[in-house]
Structure formats: structure tokens, C-alpha cells
Amino acid sequence: GQGALVASSFAYGLFRVRTQAHLKAHAPEALNLARMICMGALATLTLVADVILGGGSRAALARIRHVLPMQWVLMFMSVFLSAFIASALAFSALQVIPAANAQPFSALQPLFCALWATLLLSEPISKGAMLGGALMIGATALACSDRSV
């Protein structure tokens, strides 16, 4: 579990640097749209392949009519907010903030996840997690305060 998260963070850091390089030649909106189209195409191909091969997607699609309208709204909003809005904001920020200074803000994602889990799922937050969150905010502010880059 933790090793996978470290690997994910490593890959995401590379993504930030690569994105900043692409933003020198492409507008953030165009880059984000191209990214979303590619991700949608890959997801669709994976889904179709899984259905053809008789994987779990076939059974899920057979039960799709049982998904409630509010669930569709929540799924759409989740994808729209995280994929389109968050990426557009990040791409715009990377035009003016060096990748090395922008990356520490990604360290705040677990903190925001814990806050959302508390608000939406009523999950408790321990005192240790609260202290850790405060340290994360301080560390991010410190890491991003170097203006010499």
C-alpha cells in the first residue's frame, strides 16, 4: 500500500515536470482537453476489452439501470471537479509557478481527502492526524516559500 503511494507520488512528480515543459508550447486549456480525450479513450478501450473478454465490466454494465439518478450526478460531478476543474487550475498554476515549487502542494491532497472523508462520510480524524495535517501545511508553505527558483 505505502510503496504504491510512493510510486504514485514519484510518477505524479514527473507528470508535473512534463506538464510544465508542455505548457511552454501549448495553452493550458488545450493541453487539459487533449489529456482528457486521451484518458477517456484509454478508459473506453479498457472497458470494451474487459466486456469482450467477459470480465467484471460485463456484469456491471448489465446492472447499470440500477444506478440512481443522484448517483449519476455525484459521479459526473466527481469526474468534472477532479478531472476538468482541478487539472485546469493546476495547469494554469504551472504556467507561473516552477514545478519544483508547485509539487509540494500535492502533499496537501491527503489532508483534503481526510477533510472530505470527515464531512461526507463522517469518518473520525485522530489528534495525530490533525497534528500531521498542520505539519503538512507548514511544510508545504516552507517548501514553496523559496522565491529564488
Side-chain angles (χ1 to χ4, degrees), residues 40-134:
L42 287 172
T44 301
L45 288 173
T46 304
L47 176 69
V48 169
D50 191 53
V51 168
I52 290 170
L53 296 172
S57 298
R58 180 180 284 179
L61 287 175
R63 298 188 47 83
I64 204 163
R65 68 181 181 280
H66 299 291
V67 177
L68 301 174
M70 187 54 152
Q71 291 171 319
W72 283 111
V73 169
L74 291 172
M75 285 187 285
F76 174 78
M77 290 306 296
S78 175
V79 169
F80 182 74
L81 288 173
S82 66
F84 289 103
I85 301 297
S87 293
L89 291 170
F91 285 10
S92 293
L94 283 172
Q95 282 191 304
V96 295
I97 300 172
N101 284 22
Q103 186 59 25
F105 285 98
S106 296
L108 296 177
Q109 289 175 351
L111 175 65
F112 292 125
C113 179
L115 290 173
W116 283 118
T118 298
L119 290 172
L120 300 176
L121 305 174
S122 300
E123 290 184 4
I125 296 180
S126 69
K127 289 179 183 176
M130 284 188 229
L131 177 61

Side-chain angles (χ1 to χ4, degrees), residues 9-10 12-17 94 97-108 140 144:
S9 296
F10 176 80
Y12 196 68
L14 179 60
F15 163 75
R16 289 254 191 231
V17 171
L94 283 172
I97 300 172
N101 284 22
Q103 186 59 25
F105 285 98
S106 296
L108 296 177
T140 299
C144 298

